[in-house]
Amino acid sequence: MPTEHVHSSTDRRLRTEEKIISAAADLFLESGYKATTVRGIATRAEVSVGRVMAAGDKDVLLIRCYDRWIAQLQSGTYTLPVRARTGSVASARSQPASSARGRVKPAATSAVQNHLVGIFLPFLEFFAAHEDLSRDYAAALMRVPGKPQVFESLAVDLQEKLSSSLISIGISEAYALASAVALYDSYLGILFRWAASDMSLPEATEALSQSIAFHTQLRRPA
């Protein structure tokens, strides 16, 4: 039947795209953005170069890989690779966030504040573990028109988690929803700052902690 044929073709296309994204993700992590080629992705996925280009160019594929990784981080199904780097992920977990330039401020201390920092920490750790690739990702977001999931479904999901935590400490729903959006925007802004500078993981965590500390003040309509 025609409908069955359409469904079968769609399923094959989706399976092929999944192979392409998986191959691209492996190569981006193994070799980096610049060393990864469309032909290399095609070879790894066992498809033609044309099939890869139908799924997207390198920028689009990198964004789609990050959409996948961010979704996995949000669902807790992504395992951060252990990599030795300056300002390691392990040390960032064990030490309070502070400024490397001498101006130390207290990190968020309440249970809810620490919980909110913990929601964002896997994403900051992923950036730290793959700094060069994440900088290429930030640049790709600027070059590619459209709305990746990080600005749509993934944003909504994370903002729901944030607003729920804010409501749990007595912040009104309207303020909690607005603060959740602001915190998400702060998180994205910090990542873009990081991509354009020599910001460290502790500095990024501290910057986010300061924003969280402000938004977790009890605020209700007068």
Side-chain angles (χ1 to χ4, degrees), residues 140-192:
L141 285 174
M142 300 295 289
R143 291 191 294 261
V144 177
K147 291 185 178 180
Q149 291 181 38
V150 72
F151 296 129
E152 294 200 320
S153 59
L154 293 175
V156 171
D157 178 62
L158 197 55
Q159 288 167 21
E160 286 177 353
K161 294 178 182 177
L162 295 169
S163 62
S164 176
S165 295
L166 293 167
I167 290 170
S168 75
I169 61 170
I171 292 176
S172 69
E173 182 176 355
Y175 276 116
L177 292 172
S179 290
V181 173
L183 284 173
Y184 190 79
D185 288 345
S186 294
Y187 149 69
L188 290 179
I190 288 166
L191 290 187
F192 275 97

Side-chain angles (χ1 to χ4, degrees), residues 19-20 23-24 27-28 31-54 56-59 61:
K19 285 177 61 178
I20 291 168
L27 288 173
F28 284 140
S31 306
Y33 178 81
K34 293 177 177 62
T36 297
T37 64
V38 170
R39 186 171 298 280
I41 294 170
T43 300
R44 178 70 65 95
E46 299 180 331
V47 299
S48 68
V49 169
R51 286 279 188 181
V52 174
M53 292 304 296
D57 61 16
K58 275 177 59 176
D59 279 349
L61 291 175

